[in-house]
Amino acid sequence: MTILIPFVGYLVVFNPSFINFFQQELPGGIPNTYDWFSELHGQRLVFLYFGLLFLGLGNLLFVILAPDALRKHSDVSGYITEMQGVASQTLIANKLTETVSRFLNANEGEARSPFFYGQSLSFPSEASGYLHDLIGNLWRDISPSKLPDLELSYETPGTFFEGSPYTIYTGSGYLQTDNIMEIMTAGNAATFALLHLMHAEAEGRSKEVFFVEFYSLSFSKFLARAMVGLFFLLGFGALLVPTLTTSTLVMMTAFQKPM
């Protein structure tokens, strides 16, 4: 309902009946306070209005800018339960590909590597760590006999030749999941077979796919999240003023000696 405050808040909060209700004195009268405190408390309707206004703007931005998964679900377990009910191989594959693409778009260079994890505010290390683990698990799930012989491909990009940009293992045998993700998004015939295998294995790890997607989405659109957070901070800060002043007066009234 706070979304309505920017449009109708003035008519409600500054309605004469509403103002008269807020101007009623506490039982036993108003205790003596500092002038600045009395003036601050006298502006409580203004703080109330702007507090609700900022909360309304924050909620409105969230509704407009937040991903559908975050708007509809407050926790990952509810999202996974719903997605499992409608899951198909195509849906799971699309979710995996979308998450991988967001990671690669958000992080560049060393930030993509599993050695460093992502440093982007829109896809930081907390989220990229889960994604690297998921990609590694999917790769290990594939039977070695099913892996395509990409070395026989006539297309140079996407081969597994030693020293190629798509080398899967380091010299020490460490799996480079960042290179696997680049292969998945290369979009050429040489890598399509591997992409299909990764999608096929993802069906057996659908819960992990949905978890990584939801968790990473909670970090996406950093600037939008910062704006929403700022409006919420301003809103709760403004509402805190009349809350504290009124609570202080109530406590002073409760403990003051009867005349």
Side-chain angles (χ1 to χ4, degrees), residues 165-188:
Y166 297 110
T167 301
I168 298 301
Y169 290 97
T170 63
S172 59
Y174 192 89
L175 181 65
Q176 298 185 95
T177 49
D178 54 326
N179 282 355
I180 296 177
M181 286 188 274
E182 289 182 2
I183 292 173
M184 293 173 62
T185 57
N188 56 53

Side-chain angles (χ1 to χ4, degrees), residues 20-88:
N20 291 334
F21 175 79
F22 261 72
Q23 288 179 341
Q24 298 182 70
E25 292 188 355
L26 296 172
I30 300 295
N32 292 326
T33 57
Y34 294 105
D35 291 339
W36 64 266
F37 184 90
S38 299
E39 184 175 349
L40 195 64
H41 183 67
Q43 299 296 316
R44 59 191 181 278
L45 274 182
V46 176
F47 283 105
L48 175 64
Y49 171 73
F50 279 104
L52 294 177
L53 175 66
F54 288 135
L55 289 181
L57 291 174
N59 276 315
L60 183 61
L61 284 177
F62 180 80
V63 169
I64 295 174
L65 301 176
D68 290 340
L70 300 184
R71 283 204 306 269
K72 297 178 181 178
H73 301 277
S74 59
D75 61 85
V76 67
S77 59
Y79 177 70
I80 292 176
T81 299
E82 178 180 311
M83 296 304 292
Q84 284 290 97
V86 297
S88 64

